Amino acid sequence: MAAHANAARDRADPGDGTSGGRVGGLLLAAVGPILAMLAALALVAVTGLSQRGSVPEALEPWIFGYFIGRYPLFAFALVYGLGHLARAAAEPGPASVPRRVLFGLAGAAALLAAGLYPTFGGLILRGAFATGGMAFLTHQPLWLAFGLGAAVGALLFGSVLGLFAVAANRPLRPRLRRIGFGALAFLALWFGAILIGLAGDLGVGPWPRRAMRPEEAALAAGLLIAAALPHTALATLRRHRRGV
């Protein structure tokens, strides 16, 4: 009996270590898009990238312009979106490698096109701004106009992420529970869009008109984490729910 118990413990010990390593790997994968977003923010802050510096002509449409001055944190939201698509394509799932690569790259291209074409903001910020502006012009309260604009931006952003995440590495048969998770994902992204839209009012500063200062970068990092955390938590929960 004792020998059998010792053997069982010996077999359990490696599994326990493996389980701990697996949990650490899952946690790193879960926060990967947030870490990528923060790395992009740190790079901008350290290099002093701004409109005052020498910017290659090819990059000018994405450094200059109305939307990047008004909603600068959207640049880092795009990095988060790319990280989310990469995580969705790489995680365990039913898709083949060619399908993951094809739709993962297609999703990244679609997100960049929706967020950057023809200039910074793309269809996402233009749609959000037009919706909020029209609501305000029809005498809606400012808070309602802002909320409606943020909702449209979140819907456009989330539609690209959701569509290509499913195409890259999800079962293609429709399931009712996906509707619930999709609605929660929209609410999470809507919350994030509101924070990103309020960044200037909350004191992030005038980047990219000048270089980002350390205190502004720290505040921006906090806002980005707060904006992305609900969606990240929801996506992590979703991966641990079988058959969703």
Side-chain angles (χ1 to χ4, degrees), residues 72-173:
L73 295 191
F74 179 70
F76 308 105
L78 288 176
V79 177
Y80 173 83
L82 294 175
H84 175 79
L85 289 171
R87 180 181 62 182
E91 68 189 15
S96 63
V97 172
R99 176 182 159 191
R100 294 167 185 257
V101 173
L102 174 63
F103 287 104
L105 292 177
L111 180 63
L112 292 176
L116 295 176
Y117 183 81
T119 60
F120 182 87
L123 176 64
I124 295 174
L125 289 190
R126 283 166 172 79
F129 188 79
T131 301
M134 287 302 298
F136 184 70
L137 290 176
T138 55
H139 308 290
Q140 303 303 317
L142 181 59
W143 64 268
L144 179 58
F146 179 82
L148 290 173
V152 169
L155 181 62
L156 294 172
F157 186 87
S159 295
V160 176
L161 295 190
L163 175 63
F164 284 97
V166 170
N169 195 16
R170 298 280 191 274
L172 297 180
R173 58 186 181 277

Side-chain angles (χ1 to χ4, degrees), residues 2-241:
H4 286 297
N6 290 334
R9 281 196 297 269
D10 290 340
R11 287 193 300 268
D13 288 341
D16 292 342
T18 302
S19 177
R22 184 180 179 185
V23 170
L26 289 173
L27 181 61
L28 181 61
V31 301
I34 293 180
L35 294 178
M37 180 173 59
L38 295 179
L41 174 65
L43 182 64
V44 166
V46 169
T47 60
L49 178 67
S50 74
Q51 294 177 356
R52 294 183 179 181
S54 178
V55 178
E57 184 177 353
L59 296 180
E60 285 185 0
W62 298 286
I63 300 298
F64 297 93
Y66 175 79
F67 287 106
I68 195 170
R70 189 170 180 85
Y71 308 108
L73 295 191
F74 179 70
F76 308 105
L78 288 176
V79 177
Y80 173 83
L82 294 175
H84 175 79
L85 289 171
R87 180 181 62 182
E91 68 189 15
S96 63
V97 172
R99 176 182 159 191
R100 294 167 185 257
V101 173
L102 174 63
F103 287 104
L105 292 177
L111 180 63
L112 292 176
L116 295 176
Y117 183 81
T119 60
F120 182 87
L123 176 64
I124 295 174
L125 289 190
R126 283 166 172 79
F129 188 79
T131 301
M134 287 302 298
F136 184 70
L137 290 176
T138 55
H139 308 290
Q140 303 303 317
L142 181 59
W143 64 268
L144 179 58
F146 179 82
L148 290 173
V152 169
L155 181 62
L156 294 172
F157 186 87
S159 295
V160 176
L161 295 190
L163 175 63
F164 284 97
V166 170
N169 195 16
R170 298 280 191 274
L172 297 180
R173 58 186 181 277
R175 292 191 175 184
L176 185 60
R177 281 180 291 181
R178 285 184 182 174
I179 299 176
F181 270 94
L184 291 176
F186 165 72
L187 293 177
L189 290 174
W190 190 6
F191 171 77
I194 290 172
L195 284 185
I196 287 175
L198 292 174
D201 296 328
L202 294 175
V204 168
W207 182 83
R209 292 195 295 273
R210 60 160 172 76
M212 188 178 291
R213 294 172 179 168
E215 63 273 16
E216 294 167 352
L219 177 59
L223 288 175
L224 288 171
I225 292 173
L229 202 54
H231 184 260
T232 295
L234 183 65
T236 303
L237 175 64
R238 186 185 190 282
R239 289 201 307 277
H240 292 287
R241 293 284 301 272

